[in-house]
Amino acid sequence: MPTTTEQGAPGALDTACMAEDLFTDRDLRQMAELGIRPEEAIRQIELFRNPRPYTRVLRPCTPGDGIRNFFDSDHPELLAVFEEAAAQGRIGKFVPASGAASRMFKPLLGYLNDDAAEPPSEVRSFFASLPRFAFRDDLAAALRRDGLDLEELLRKGDHRTVLGYLLTGRGLGYEDLPKGLLRFHRYPDGARTAFEEHLVEAAAYTRDADGGCRLHFTVSPEHEQGFVRLLEEVRPRYEERYGCRFLVTFSHQARSTDTLAVDPENRPFRQEDGTLLFRPGGHGALIENLQALGALGWDVVLIKNIDNVVPDRRKEVGLLWKKLLAGALLALQKRVFGYLARLEAGPAPLELLDEVDKFLADDLSLAVPADMGVAGSEARRRYLVKLLDRPLRVCGVVRNLGEPGGGPFWVESPACDVSSLQIVETSQIDPEDREQQAILKSSTHFNPADVACALRNRHGRPYDLKQYIDPKTVFIASKSHEGRPLKALERPGLWNGAMACWNTVFVEVPDETFAPVKAVVDLLRPEHQG
């Protein structure tokens, strides 16, 4: 009879047999070079063969029911807590920045590569507003180097030549660059990239008492040198202007987090040369990069996507709310650590257990099961310690204004021992379940605009963040490679399933804090115009 683990995954004997059946010696060498264990590859194949159930959402989070509101009277205390921690060097900034910009330019690329196509509305809007884009001067300079004049080309209606110099290697090569290296905003003294805007932001809220500003960017290996060159070019100017020192580091998404692709029959997908196809594991793989920062001593980390930046004249609101979110995190962390110290000291009086129950319900939105209230005091104490001693995050959520994506929900989560607050993507909810879809449609708020995270426990040791992932929240997508269909696996999203079992607080933040750039024409929105 085959042996299996308690979770239903293949046991050691099964794994060895399956590896022998599925993989050649060459495959095993390929996996070893990537740092991927055969057992992990087999686990992924099992996920394709037996997809995990959809996430069960109980109800959307709303103000007063899972989403908090801060008032002006709350600000002084939260800001004071934040400023003290910042001066101590406890605040750092983490920016996922490896995403390519090609999706930003999809309509432009479609028009460029189809000589017979008529310009769609996005292309017409782009050219009608070309002077308003921060990269306009760079584009004109690239054309001049080859003896071409931008204005003359526009008068002639030669839009494809212009797009060729914007998007391809003939000119700026924007289709192959990451968003962080694109010019986003105009200023009197020149244009800034998204990367530079993050430096300027960090100078306002990560600076310690010695002027150090800690930032970490996750980038693609092929683009790291581009970021390093840009940093070397602009660092002296911004450090002098803001009186700080930028302590910038970079990392890549580890190849060991890549996932195995399969064919439509759920067999390992083989490329034309016979090798297995491994694909990047998605945004959620970056939980390992965050874990590495904790191991290096990082404490409180503010996470923000590379494209969610605004010009200086619009930064004030966003900077205020980053500080408030971090202040709220630090204030909560202090209370959590205080309760843990008392609970871990030994047998706890009933009054303390009841007080912790109330704190969990009121401040962390964790509903302790009713039967735990009648459990022996020692079992109850251990259970409360388990709930408290987890990574903590405070997420800023904005009103849902029609952007695609998920939002904050109350979730039934056996993996996390208790019903809790989580960010759930649309793809995680069963499209055939009318009740679940009705709950999704009734959601009032959108994914986090900013996330403040605490990576270390009360003893100063980093949490093992991989222990707090809900592995069931993987995503399977249909793709193609070398003209053949395949199925690809994405790991649980960074602030979705990868943080599913963190203690979570949602705070409503102003709409002005959310200004993502998903398409190039988003740079024409008022929030991105100087």
Side-chain angles (χ1 to χ4, degrees):
M1 185 175 186
T3 61
T4 59
T5 65
E6 291 181 3
Q7 290 78 21
L13 182 59
D14 276 352
T15 298
C17 294
M18 291 177 69
E20 188 174 324
D21 290 341
L22 290 170
F23 304 124
T24 66
D25 289 343
R26 182 187 183 190
D27 296 336
L28 297 176
R29 288 193 299 271
Q30 181 184 356
M31 285 187 266
E33 290 172 0
L34 296 174
I36 297 172
R37 295 178 296 113
E39 308 92 87
E40 173 61 14
I42 291 170
R43 185 188 74 85
Q44 293 170 17
I45 291 174
E46 287 300 304
L47 288 172
F48 287 112
R49 293 176 176 176
N50 300 290
R52 300 295 191 182
Y54 288 101
T55 298
R56 294 291 300 178
V57 292
L58 302 174
R59 62 187 185 276
C61 294
T62 56
D65 183 29
I67 298 177
R68 293 188 185 184
N69 293 99
F70 290 163
F71 303 99
D72 290 349
S73 57
D74 300 318
H75 293 189
E77 181 180 352
L78 296 178
L79 292 174
V81 172
F82 167 81
E83 296 296 348
E84 180 182 3
Q88 295 169 348
R90 296 182 61 192
I91 309 296
K93 181 175 187 176
F94 180 86
V95 184
S98 57
S102 53
R103 290 183 184 178
M104 278 181 60
F105 301 104
K106 188 175 180 180
L108 303 185
L109 285 164
Y111 176 65
L112 174 64
N113 296 324
D114 185 352
D115 291 339
E118 291 296 318
S121 59
E122 296 95 334
V123 174
R124 294 194 298 271
S125 296
F126 173 81
F127 280 104
S129 301
L130 183 57
R132 297 169 57 198
F133 288 102
F135 50 73
R136 185 265 178 206
D137 292 345
D138 286 353
L139 176 59
L143 287 160
R144 279 197 302 273
R145 284 194 292 271
D146 286 345
L148 300 172
D149 180 77
L150 174 60
E151 297 305 323
E152 183 179 351
L153 291 170
L154 294 176
R155 282 195 299 271
K156 292 179 177 178
D158 190 354
H159 291 162
R160 286 193 173 86
T161 295
V162 175
L163 290 179
Y165 273 81
L166 172 67
L167 300 173
T168 73
R170 279 188 290 165
L172 303 184
Y174 267 22
E175 71 167 315
D176 293 322
L177 290 180
K179 288 183 181 179
L181 297 181
L182 306 188
R183 304 281 193 192
F184 264 37
H185 303 137
R186 281 182 177 275
Y187 292 89
D189 60 350
R192 281 186 202 163
T193 61
F195 176 77
E196 291 170 80
E197 296 289 18
H198 278 282
L199 295 178
V200 174
E201 272 194 10
Y205 64 82
T206 69
R207 177 167 26 199
D208 63 25
D210 296 321
C213 298
R214 291 166 182 78
L215 299 93
H216 185 85
F217 295 84
T218 62
V219 299
S220 300
E222 64 271 23
H223 294 304
E224 181 173 352
Q225 283 307 307
F227 281 100
V228 170
R229 284 193 298 271
L230 179 58
L231 176 62
E232 290 173 348
E233 175 189 336
V234 304
R235 182 204 295 269
R237 180 166 75 249
Y238 291 125
E239 288 186 338
E240 181 180 2
R241 181 179 301 176
Y242 297 105
C244 66
R245 293 177 297 109
F246 291 113
L247 310 173
V248 180
T249 53
F250 301 94
S251 67
H252 312 143
Q253 186 172 310
R255 290 301 309 274
S256 60
T257 65
D258 286 0
T259 58
L260 178 65
V262 298
D263 64 20
E265 285 72 45
N266 297 317
R267 298 171 303 198
F269 185 96
R270 295 192 177 277
Q271 303 180 87
E272 289 183 354
D273 63 0
T275 58
L276 300 172
L277 176 63
F278 288 92
R279 297 169 52 88
H283 209 235
L286 298 181
I287 198 72
E288 294 201 4
N289 303 66
L290 200 59
Q291 172 82 54
L293 292 180
L296 291 172
W298 282 48
D299 185 1
V300 174
V301 179
L302 292 168
I303 305 178
K304 188 177 185 183
N305 277 337
I306 188 67
D307 63 345
N308 188 21
V309 286
V310 293
D312 285 353
R313 71 182 183 88
R314 291 181 173 267
K315 281 189 172 68
E316 183 177 356
V317 172
L319 295 175
L320 169 65
W321 281 89
K322 285 175 180 63
K323 295 176 182 180
L324 292 173
L325 293 175
L329 176 90
L330 289 156
L332 272 173
Q333 183 190 61
K334 184 177 180 179
R335 295 184 66 192
V336 168
F337 287 177
Y339 281 128
L340 281 171
R342 295 165 66 187
L343 290 170
E344 291 174 349
L350 180 61
E351 295 79 6
L352 175 59
L353 299 179
D354 289 343
E355 184 180 341
V356 174
D357 271 0
K358 188 174 188 306
F359 170 74
L360 287 167
D362 294 348
D363 294 83
L364 296 180
S365 300
L366 294 175
V368 177
D371 59 354
M372 190 53 63
V374 297
S377 59
E378 179 57 22
R380 186 178 173 195
R381 182 188 70 84
R382 288 197 302 268
Y383 183 77
L384 295 179
V385 167
K386 183 179 180 182
L387 289 186
L388 285 171
D389 193 16
R390 297 180 175 190
L392 177 66
R393 60 177 179 163
V394 176
C395 307
V397 293
V398 295
R399 293 177 304 145
N400 194 330
L401 301 176
E403 298 284 351
F409 291 86
W410 290 87
V411 173
E412 200 175 81
S413 182
C416 305
D417 300 320
V418 66
S419 297
S420 59
L421 305 185
Q422 295 185 29
I423 293 294
V424 181
E425 292 287 352
T426 303
S427 59
Q428 292 176 248
I429 300 176
D430 188 349
E432 304 300 323
D433 188 318
R434 292 184 179 180
E435 179 185 1
Q436 290 287 290
Q437 286 297 309
I439 295 173
L440 172 63
K441 291 175 182 175
S442 67
S443 174
T444 60
H445 286 69
F446 188 67
N447 273 356
D450 292 279
V451 181
C453 299
L455 303 183
R456 307 177 78 78
N457 65 21
R458 78 178 187 91
H459 303 290
R461 293 189 290 270
Y463 284 105
D464 180 0
L465 302 183
K466 288 180 284 188
Q467 298 299 314
Y468 302 92
I469 297 171
D470 183 351
K472 293 184 296 186
T473 55
V474 295
F475 176 68
I476 295 174
S478 297
K479 303 284 185 179
S480 64
H481 182 76
E482 296 176 344
R484 292 180 290 140
L486 61 82
K487 292 194 284 187
L489 186 73
E490 288 196 7
R491 295 181 179 275
L494 181 57
W495 39 63
N496 302 52
M499 293 183 176
C501 298
W502 291 43
N503 285 336
T504 297
V505 173
F506 293 130
V507 176
E508 185 177 70
V509 296
D511 300 341
E512 299 96 303
T513 65
F514 188 58
V517 177
K518 303 306 179 188
V520 65
V521 292
D522 289 341
L523 290 171
L524 299 175
R525 292 180 176 181
E527 55 263 38
H528 290 288
Q529 290 294 303

